[in-house]
């Protein structure tokens, strides 16, 4: 099953989302015939992408492995389905303990995991944002936590910062880089030489962190 997204663009982009759906982004003016030809041309490549994604999911999906990445370390996930009390999640001794009530324990556990990560992300990311904003003497308006598929963070021209909840899968030093990157956009709304020079003054080893999420972000599954 393909999801076709027409955009104002010149190139074609193909990727597989976390639900194993094939997303194809194409130029607005591409005809139905051209699109069909494109799908046929890239069918072998798409099948390889699907196979690789499934193999990765088997290794990284906590519902399969029983372990989930939290702040850069795999933590055990224990799920108990009970008929009394209420659904709950706790993090104790570096392990997650989840109690579910419904018939679909995996889906309920997934919702509890994401809620836990959102809550912790709100705390950790706000603290880091305040820290770096104070350091460079910048001000932001609000912080939003989202579960995005492709972006780890963004900063609007109005001073609103958005972070991906899945950042909580990464080590704190990597989370700090993303926060500094977005906070720096409050002063330099570009990726100019000055922008990177200012990043380097605050975080001299930032170059070691730039490609981390491209390399490992596909393992961050909630």
């Amino acid at each position: 099953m393909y999801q076709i997204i027409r955009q104002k663009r010149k190139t074609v982009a193909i990727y597989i989302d976390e639900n194993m759906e094939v997303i194809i982004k194409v130029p607005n003016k591409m005809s139905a015939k051209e699109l069909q030809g494109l799908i046929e041309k890239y069918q072998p490549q798409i099948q390889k992408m699907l196979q690789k994604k499934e193999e990765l999911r088997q290794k990284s999906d906590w519902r399969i492995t029983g372990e989930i990445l939290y702040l850069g370390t795999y933590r055990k996930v224990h799920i108990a389905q009970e008929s009394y009390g209420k659904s709950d999640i706790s993090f104790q001794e570096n392990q997650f303990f989840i109690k579910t009530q419904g018939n679909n324990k995996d889906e309920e556990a997934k919702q509890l995991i994401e809620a836990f990560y959102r809550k912790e992300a709100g705390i950790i990311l706000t603290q880091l944002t305040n820290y770096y904003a104070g350091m460079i003497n910048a001000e932001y308006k609000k912080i939003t936590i989202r579960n995005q598929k492709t972006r780890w963070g963004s900063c609007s021209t109005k001073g609103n910062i958005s972070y991906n909840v899945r950042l909580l899968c990464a080590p704190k030093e990597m989370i700090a880089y993303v926060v500094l990157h977005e906070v720096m956009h409050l002063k330099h709304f570009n990726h100019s030489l000055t922008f990177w020079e200012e990043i380097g003054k605050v975080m001299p080893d930032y170059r070691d962190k730039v490609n981390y999420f491209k390399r490992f972000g596909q393992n961050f599954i909630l």
Side-chain angles (χ1 to χ4, degrees):
M1 183 66 181
Y2 300 138
Q3 180 183 348
I4 309 300
I5 301 176
R6 294 184 177 274
Q7 296 178 327
K8 186 179 180 181
R9 59 187 297 138
K10 295 181 180 180
T11 59
V12 173
I14 303 174
Y15 67 93
I16 315 296
D17 70 9
E18 61 184 32
N19 297 317
M20 300 298 289
E21 184 175 15
V22 181
I23 311 296
I24 304 179
K25 296 182 179 181
V26 300
N28 283 324
K29 295 182 179 180
M30 178 174 284
S31 68
K33 184 177 180 180
E34 289 174 323
L35 178 58
Q36 183 60 37
L38 177 81
I39 293 174
E40 291 175 0
K41 177 182 178 180
Y42 286 100
Q43 185 64 30
Q45 182 178 332
I46 291 172
Q47 290 304 314
K48 288 182 180 179
M49 291 169 65
L50 283 167
Q51 182 178 352
K52 185 177 180 180
K53 186 78 172 183
E54 177 59 25
E55 290 173 354
L56 178 65
R57 190 180 73 85
Q58 294 288 334
K59 295 178 181 178
S60 305
D61 192 330
W62 59 269
R63 288 163 292 189
I64 297 172
T65 65
E67 295 182 326
I68 190 169
L69 272 171
Y70 180 61
L71 298 179
T73 302
Y74 279 100
R75 323 284 184 161
K76 288 284 187 181
V77 179
H78 306 275
I79 303 176
Q81 192 172 20
E82 300 181 1
S83 58
Y84 60 91
K86 64 178 181 178
S87 300
D88 185 48
I89 181 171
S90 62
F91 184 65
Q92 304 171 35
E93 299 179 351
N94 293 321
Q95 301 179 77
F96 285 98
F97 295 88
I98 300 173
K99 184 169 68 175
T100 66
Q101 294 293 310
N103 295 325
N104 191 340
K105 70 173 185 178
D106 285 347
E107 181 58 31
E108 192 172 348
K110 181 178 184 298
Q111 292 174 4
L112 289 167
I113 283 280
E114 184 170 336
F116 177 91
Y117 274 59
R118 280 182 180 274
K119 181 180 178 180
E120 294 303 307
I123 296 170
I124 294 172
L125 293 168
T126 298
Q127 289 175 343
L128 286 170
T129 301
N130 290 338
Y131 174 75
Y132 286 116
M135 183 178 292
I136 68 172
N137 194 27
E139 294 184 0
Y140 66 92
K141 287 189 177 180
K142 68 176 182 178
I143 293 174
T144 304
I145 308 296
R146 296 190 173 100
N147 191 346
Q148 298 168 290
K149 294 180 180 180
T150 58
R151 304 186 74 175
W152 299 107
S154 62
C155 179
S156 74
T157 54
K158 295 181 179 179
N160 298 320
I161 298 178
S162 175
Y163 294 117
N164 194 322
V165 65
R166 290 185 291 119
L167 283 173
L168 267 287
C169 294
K172 283 189 175 180
E173 62 268 23
M174 298 302 173
I175 299 173
Y177 164 70
V178 173
V179 172
L180 174 60
H181 187 112
E182 301 309 332
V183 167
M184 193 61 72
H185 279 313
L186 295 168
K187 294 185 70 175
H188 306 283
F189 201 71
N190 51 46
H191 289 110
S192 63
L193 179 60
T194 301
F195 171 87
W196 292 112
E197 287 177 343
E198 293 297 314
I199 289 280
K201 289 178 182 178
V202 179
M203 191 176 287
D205 64 344
Y206 79 89
R207 289 183 179 86
D208 298 332
K209 299 177 172 64
V210 168
N211 293 319
Y212 174 84
F213 291 92
K214 289 182 180 180
R215 293 175 60 195
F216 302 108
Q218 57 187 344
N219 298 325
F220 300 170
I221 298 175
L222 295 188

